[in-house]
Amino acid sequence: MCGILGVISLKNQLKNDDGSFKKALSLLEKRGPDFKDSFQDNKVKLGHTRLAIQDLGPKGNQPFWDQKKRFCIVYNGEIYNFKNLRKKLQNKGYKFTTKTDTEVLLYLYVEYKQRCLDHLDGFFAFAIYDQKEKSIFIARDRFGIKPLVYSTGKDSIVFASEIKAILPLIKEKAIDKTSLFQYLQFAYIPAPDSIYQGVKKLLPGHYIFIKEDRIKIEKYYQLKWDPEKYTTLSYDLQKSKLLELLEKSIKNRLISDAPLGAFLSGGIDSSALVSLASKYVPKLKTFSIGFKNNSFMDETLYANAVAKKFRTDHHTLKIDGNDYLKNLDEIMTYLDEPFADSSSISVFILSKFVKNHVKTVLSGDGADEIFAGYNKYRAEYFIRTKPIAKNLLKFLSPLTGLLPRSNDYKFGNFGRQLNKLARGAKLSNEERYLYWCKFVDNERVLKTFSTSLREDINQKDYLERLYKSPTSKYQNDFNQHLFDDVHY
């Protein structure tokens, strides 16, 4: 994990740093504690904080220049196929001075410009400055694994890995009321919006190209989905192909010059990851977190079983409510906008623990959207395939509302889920999809707002943001939900 930062002039020449850029870059030091540096001319300021993973020496420090000193890159991420790309570029006459994927990515852009993105297998956020043409190319990976935010003003555009690094570089800061409205329903703020007016998240699979005062934002990737093509494959063939892709993916992600491990919760996603990674890394270091006084939430029993089966070097951290309180202030310095997933706290605590053992870890994040791992998918599939049960739930919905609802114990959790299932059964496909996604409905959120704040919510703007999916949402195919969620 590294941090990148940049300011690009759209009109006048950039002035010397008044201290705000230096302050902004320092806010990214936790992302990259190994090295920090910046570059400035009359068009751009570029900054980078490095967490060294490949070619750990100083030659891999950034901002990184090509040998002719025309192109400069700041980059956060990892390109898994960089060794093959390096060989292809060497065959074209390029000479390398490091063993980093940074240098490969830079020369890939020199060779192919924007089409370099078609060659990449990895996750990334980067910016490349062409000092001769005075242009800059900024890109984010296909599924938005690496963060990248930006803000466009009258005279300049600012970008960074985190919102906190943008704030010292922009004059006007105001809460986006519609984003706040979205957050209170969904427990997060969907891209491209942020909690601040004028601060946007670059969407996954998009790039920005800037030359002179022209800014072009383009989509370069969207997952291809052809239901008719893939439903004709046999189940056995699909299973073997899936295993092949998973193994190739995990093997590629084991490339590291720094110590590497894996999160292990005991669930299907992390267990599958560990089972495949342990084939290539003997005594793979694995890490789990558990809860001292809550057996309902504790899954370490399953993690221990997986670790034992695949003979990993397993480490377990047990926490309680006091650990949450101790770490709450610190985690707030990392969350640049409201985010209500409580699991982020336990992952943060576990990551601090893991830091004492390895520098990077594999994670199963993102698999739920592909393999329907969330309860909302189970609910949707149940409603679509059990018409009799659906009608019964409609009839019983007044009674289910009387059941106790809680996440803290088994029966309360059952009551909560059954009540939501019954309410969802009464809705159309379109309404139900949004209902599964929401934690709180519109009416309850509006009741918490003052009259003046309620009037500030742009309902038209809110609806446009809500229905911004690039796909034909709400079709009668269950896979449509997974397809949309992969993109958002």
Side-chain angles (χ1 to χ4, degrees):
M1 183 171 68
C2 300
I4 66 174
L5 176 69
V7 180
I8 304 104
S9 171
L10 300 176
K11 293 182 180 179
N12 304 319
Q13 291 189 357
L14 284 177
K15 299 178 181 178
N16 290 329
D17 184 20
D18 61 0
S20 57
F21 189 88
K22 184 178 180 180
K23 177 183 178 181
L25 189 60
S26 69
L27 294 172
L28 295 175
E29 284 185 17
K30 288 183 178 180
R31 297 185 65 88
D34 295 331
F35 184 79
K36 178 180 68 174
D37 201 4
S38 61
F39 158 79
Q40 177 180 347
D41 67 4
N42 59 10
K43 177 67 178 179
V44 305
K45 296 177 186 176
L46 296 175
H48 187 267
T49 60
R50 185 187 184 197
L51 178 70
I53 301 297
Q54 294 170 357
D55 197 347
L56 307 181
K59 286 186 177 181
N61 291 339
Q62 300 178 45
F64 185 91
W65 288 85
D66 72 311
Q67 293 179 29
K68 295 181 180 179
K69 301 296 181 182
R70 172 177 170 176
F71 296 93
C72 179
I73 184 173
V74 287
Y75 157 58
N76 169 35
E78 191 170 354
I79 307 302
Y80 303 124
N81 61 335
F82 82 97
K83 290 184 177 179
N84 289 334
L85 293 172
R86 179 189 174 108
K87 289 178 182 177
K88 291 178 181 179
L89 290 169
Q90 285 174 325
N91 291 336
K92 289 179 176 288
Y94 289 91
K95 299 184 183 300
F96 291 85
T97 59
T98 75
K99 296 180 180 179
T100 65
D101 56 349
T102 305
E103 189 173 18
V104 172
L105 178 55
L106 180 60
Y107 284 125
L108 202 68
Y109 179 78
V110 173
E111 179 67 20
Y112 298 107
K113 297 299 187 287
Q114 287 94 328
R115 304 308 302 178
C116 71
L117 297 168
D118 298 338
H119 299 262
L120 300 177
D121 176 11
F123 62 140
F124 50 80
F126 67 85
I128 296 178
Y129 175 48
D130 183 339
Q131 194 170 36
K132 181 179 179 181
E133 291 190 356
K134 301 296 181 182
S135 65
I136 191 160
F137 179 70
I138 306 167
R140 191 179 183 195
D141 62 69
R142 293 173 177 87
F143 297 106
I145 299 171
K146 286 298 181 183
L148 199 144
V149 291
Y150 67 96
S151 180
T152 305
K154 293 181 181 179
D155 300 322
S156 64
I157 180 170
V158 182
F159 69 89
S161 295
E162 299 180 12
I163 294 174
K164 67 169 63 70
I166 279 191
L167 298 182
L169 301 170
I170 59 177
K171 294 180 180 179
E172 297 182 5
K173 306 173 187 70
I175 297 297
D176 186 318
K177 308 289 178 54
T178 307
S179 290
L180 178 61
F181 188 50
Q182 284 186 298
Y183 163 71
L184 291 173
Q185 292 176 73
F186 297 103
Y188 79 105
I189 299 169
D193 306 306
S194 81
I195 194 63
Y196 295 99
Q197 290 180 15
V199 178
K200 299 292 183 182
K201 300 157 189 162
L202 183 62
L203 285 172
H206 282 64
Y207 69 77
I208 304 173
F209 183 75
I210 304 165
K211 189 173 182 179
E212 297 175 349
D213 61 349
R214 298 189 301 276
I215 302 172
K216 181 173 72 171
I217 301 178
E218 294 282 344
K219 180 195 296 184
Y220 71 87
Y221 180 82
Q222 182 174 305
L223 189 66
K224 294 179 181 178
W225 180 43
D226 185 350
E228 293 183 2
K229 176 181 176 182
Y230 296 112
T231 52
T232 58
L233 298 177
S234 71
Y235 182 57
D236 287 339
L237 183 59
Q238 291 182 53
K239 285 195 297 182
S240 63
K241 183 63 175 176
L242 173 61
L243 184 60
E244 176 189 329
L245 290 172
L246 282 175
E247 189 156 1
K248 178 182 177 183
S249 175
I250 289 168
K251 188 177 180 180
N252 287 343
R253 282 153 180 77
L254 296 174
I255 300 171
S256 175
D257 293 331
L260 177 144
F263 287 145
L264 177 58
S265 68
I268 293 173
D269 305 330
S270 64
S271 300
L273 186 154
V274 167
S275 71
L276 293 170
S278 61
K279 291 171 61 175
Y280 301 99
V281 182
K283 299 294 290 181
L284 175 71
K285 291 183 182 297
T286 53
F287 304 91
S288 300
I289 193 165
F291 300 92
K292 294 176 183 176
N293 304 314
N294 192 331
S295 58
F296 177 65
M297 299 293 291
D298 192 287
E299 298 177 331
T300 54
L301 180 67
Y302 306 106
N304 291 338
V306 175
K308 183 178 180 180
K309 178 175 177 59
F310 297 105
R311 299 178 181 178
T312 70
D313 179 9
H314 192 55
H315 306 262
T316 300
L317 176 67
K318 292 272 189 167
I319 64 172
D320 57 20
N322 290 326
D323 294 296
Y324 268 61
L325 293 174
K326 289 176 186 176
N327 286 275
L328 202 53
D329 285 343
E330 188 176 358
I331 195 174
M332 294 298 286
T333 66
Y334 288 89
L335 299 178
D336 290 349
E337 62 180 0
F339 181 66
D341 184 352
S342 59
S343 67
S344 62
I345 304 175
S346 53
V347 170
F348 175 77
I349 296 171
L350 180 60
S351 298
K352 287 176 67 177
F353 172 72
V354 167
K355 184 182 178 183
N356 298 320
H357 301 271
V358 297
K359 203 166 187 177
T360 183
V361 289
L362 303 178
S363 166
D365 281 359
D368 288 305
E369 288 83 357
I370 300 173
F371 298 112
Y374 294 129
N375 283 332
K376 68 177 182 177
Y377 300 131
R378 294 177 62 191
E380 181 64 21
Y381 190 76
F382 181 84
I383 293 295
R384 285 174 178 264
T385 58
K386 308 291 183 184
I388 296 175
K390 176 182 176 181
N391 291 329
L392 183 62
L393 282 167
K394 287 182 183 179
F395 178 74
L396 294 175
S397 60
L399 297 176
T400 61
L402 301 176
L403 293 171
R405 283 168 270 171
S406 172
N407 285 322
D408 295 332
Y409 61 101
K410 195 169 185 178
F411 185 70
N413 192 49
F414 172 77
R416 179 185 66 83
Q417 292 178 337
L418 186 62
N419 179 61
K420 189 159 188 174
L421 190 66
R423 294 184 66 184
K426 298 188 291 184
L427 302 175
S428 67
N429 284 354
E430 178 177 332
E431 293 173 317
R432 192 169 59 247
Y433 176 83
L434 292 174
Y435 177 66
W436 298 145
C437 294
K438 291 180 181 180
F439 286 82
V440 183
D441 58 33
N442 295 26
E443 292 72 24
R444 285 181 63 191
V445 173
L446 287 172
K447 285 179 182 177
T448 66
F449 282 16
S450 65
T451 303
S452 60
L453 187 58
R454 208 176 300 156
E455 292 172 353
D456 285 342
I457 298 297
N458 185 333
Q459 290 287 342
K460 182 180 178 183
D461 181 30
Y462 166 69
L463 290 172
E464 287 177 353
R465 295 188 194 189
L466 210 58
Y467 292 93
K468 65 184 177 296
S469 168
T471 66
S472 49
K473 219 172 207 176
Y474 315 124
Q475 289 181 358
N476 290 324
D477 189 329
F478 171 76
N479 286 293
Q480 189 70 45
H481 294 295
L482 305 180
F483 190 71
D484 284 331
D485 283 353
V486 163
H487 290 86
Y488 289 93

